[in-house]
Amino acid sequence: VDALLSADAARRAAISTADSLRAEQKTASRSVGKASPAERSALLQRAKDLAGQVKAAEADQAAAEMAFTAAHMAISNVIIDG
């Protein structure tokens, strides 16, 4: 049960991290269109960096999901007679 709780906490943290990075990437992408030509190259680079971070966070999230599922499947169902 402790492994399941730990895996759940890691999964929730990974989801939160990935979601916040996606939101930041979305905001950065929107600002590129509104930026002046001088600012645009720096904003594009920031958007590319965020894209890489989002991909890494999504991979971490998938790994955390798999660990959570494995920990959950390791706990058997208790059948109560009656």
Side-chain angles (χ1 to χ4, degrees):
V1 174
D2 290 336
L4 177 62
L5 293 175
S6 176
D8 183 47
R11 180 182 66 92
R12 289 174 189 258
I15 290 170
S16 176
T17 300
D19 286 348
S20 65
L21 282 171
R22 271 189 229 104
E24 189 177 345
Q25 180 188 26
K26 190 174 183 180
T27 302
S29 295
R30 285 183 184 155
S31 66
V32 169
K34 299 175 186 176
S36 67
E39 298 172 324
R40 195 166 285 157
S41 64
L43 290 173
L44 282 172
Q45 184 59 43
R46 177 71 180 142
K48 286 180 185 178
D49 292 343
L50 283 171
Q53 291 176 8
V54 167
K55 285 185 181 184
E58 287 175 344
D60 291 345
Q61 181 181 348
E65 283 283 347
M66 289 176 57
F68 173 75
T69 301
H72 196 265
M73 297 300 281
I75 298 174
S76 61
N77 280 341
V78 178
I79 300 173
I80 300 174
D81 291 332

